[in-house]
Amino acid sequence: MFLKIAHRGASKKEPENTLRSFRRALRMNVSMIECDAHLCKTGELVVMHDNTVDRTTNGKGKIHNKTFDELRKLDDGMGEHIPKLQDVIELINRETRLNIELKGRGTGWAVATMLQMYYGMGWRHSDFVVSSFSRRELRAFRRIDTKTPVGYLIYANIFGSIHFAKKINAHSINPNIKHAKKRFIDRAHRIGLKVYVYTVDTKEDAQKMKSLGVDGVFSDCPDEI
Ligand code: G3P
Ligand code: MG
């Protein structure tokens, strides 16, 4: 099975990481939706890619220096507000799987704690995937949660990264497309890791990844590939 994962929602057509973008991705019949999580100053988990609000909103400054009320006032594109992670989980509501990427410091602990609450309400571990480039956040996540599937994101030292992925009992290793080479993909498969590649936005690249044996791709336009 070749997974199509909506990267930051349907981010080619809608403002990335907004409820509008996730709603649109749900209509694209994807295998999974990806979002990025940060902690703000007042402790809420919010969904944004960068450390600062500068690129995607009409504000300026670091997310961890802003209260949730301050963040909520910003325009996150087309009049959207920066969503809380909980808003995204409840919007998707198990219609498809949600891949939460741990971005800022402290998110490993915070996301693990939040997911325990959803598991207590009947959600299943297979409703989520948690991923990160940060070994520190993945370790913190695993100290609390040993069951949710984890993806280790990488952009360098790709063969060395396989060992860390196994150590934390990852489900997948997720390389940048420029590192998605046959030898690496086969090595990851031999030790039982799935390989999900980012970011794949053309049919040609998707076809190439499929022929290399990749298990899925993150795309800004999953409806076009
Ligand atoms: O999870 C794939 C992708 O989201 C990783 O990179 O920078 O878009 O979060 P980035
Ligand atoms: Mg991401």
Side-chain angles (χ1 to χ4, degrees), residues 53-110:
V53 299
D54 303 16
R55 179 179 60 88
T56 50
T57 77
N58 57 348
K60 270 203 174 314
K62 292 195 168 144
I63 298 172
H64 75 247
N65 288 335
K66 294 194 180 292
T67 65
F68 183 68
D69 287 344
E70 286 167 338
L71 290 173
R72 256 328 252 194
K73 289 192 184 110
L74 301 177
D75 184 333
D76 200 15
M78 298 178 84
E80 289 287 299
H81 297 293
I82 299 170
K84 280 189 189 173
L85 179 60
Q86 270 179 278
D87 300 334
V88 177
I89 294 175
E90 284 165 31
L91 172 81
I92 292 174
N93 197 21
R94 294 176 274 189
E95 263 185 65
T96 188
R97 299 168 81 191
L98 177 63
N99 179 166
I100 303 166
E101 185 185 336
L102 310 171
K103 283 289 191 200
R105 186 178 273 274
T107 49
W109 173 85

Side-chain angles (χ1 to χ4, degrees), residues 7-8 34 36 49 99 101 103 131 133 153 174 198-199 218:
H7 181 234
R8 312 180 195 176
E34 187 255 4
D36 303 290
H49 180 271
N99 179 166
E101 185 185 336
K103 283 289 191 200
S131 64
F133 289 103
L153 282 157
N174 306 350
Y198 65 92
T199 311
F218 294 87

Side-chain angles (χ1 to χ4, degrees), residues 163-179:
H163 299 292
F164 178 74
K166 281 313 276 181
K167 216 161 125 187
I168 57 158
N169 190 25
H171 168 77
S172 71
I173 192 150
N174 306 350
N176 185 287
I177 187 167
K178 67 175 185 250
H179 294 307

Side-chain angles (χ1 to χ4, degrees), residues 146-172:
T146 55
K147 291 190 181 150
T148 301
V150 155
Y152 182 36
L153 282 157
I154 51 170
Y155 47 79
N157 184 23
I158 59 169
F159 285 96
S161 305
I162 286 180
H163 299 292
F164 178 74
K166 281 313 276 181
K167 216 161 125 187
I168 57 158
N169 190 25
H171 168 77
S172 71

